Amino acid sequence: MPKLTDRERLAELEQRKRKISEEIEQTRVALRGKYAAIISDLEVESLTERELREIISLAIKAGSTASLQALKALQPRPS
């Protein structure tokens, strides 16, 4: 196999990089779709869109462990 020139190698690496970036984006979209399906199964009607967005955003920023601990420590709301 002939040795690639630096220019050919760079072009090949750039192509692989683009392909990996596309694969990452496709995987991200698929994962978000699965999480959106989970949300659609929850009873979120008592929340405004802004409240739901803020709850999820803050939970993501705090991290799963801290968020779960804080939420589990809350008293459940009477039905």
Side-chain angles (χ1 to χ4, degrees):
M1 177 186 289
K3 187 174 181 177
L4 297 177
T5 66
D6 288 341
R7 180 179 284 267
E8 292 168 332
R9 186 165 185 270
L10 179 60
E12 184 180 307
L13 291 171
E14 288 289 342
Q15 182 180 11
R16 277 195 254 164
K17 180 181 175 183
R18 278 190 300 279
K19 187 174 181 180
I20 289 171
S21 293
E22 290 171 5
E23 189 174 338
I24 288 170
E25 187 57 29
Q26 290 170 353
T27 304
R28 181 176 285 126
V29 168
L31 180 62
R32 289 179 179 179
K34 288 178 184 179
Y35 284 13
I38 292 169
I39 294 291
S40 70
D41 291 339
L42 299 176
E43 296 177 11
V44 296
E45 295 82 14
S46 63
L47 301 172
T48 66
E49 185 176 329
R50 184 177 183 175
E51 289 170 336
L52 177 63
R53 183 178 297 275
E54 189 172 4
I55 289 168
I56 293 171
S57 180
L58 290 171
I60 290 169
K61 288 177 185 175
S64 60
T65 304
S67 296
L68 286 172
Q69 287 175 345
L71 291 169
K72 285 180 179 181
L74 296 174
Q75 294 295 322
R77 184 176 68 176
S79 297

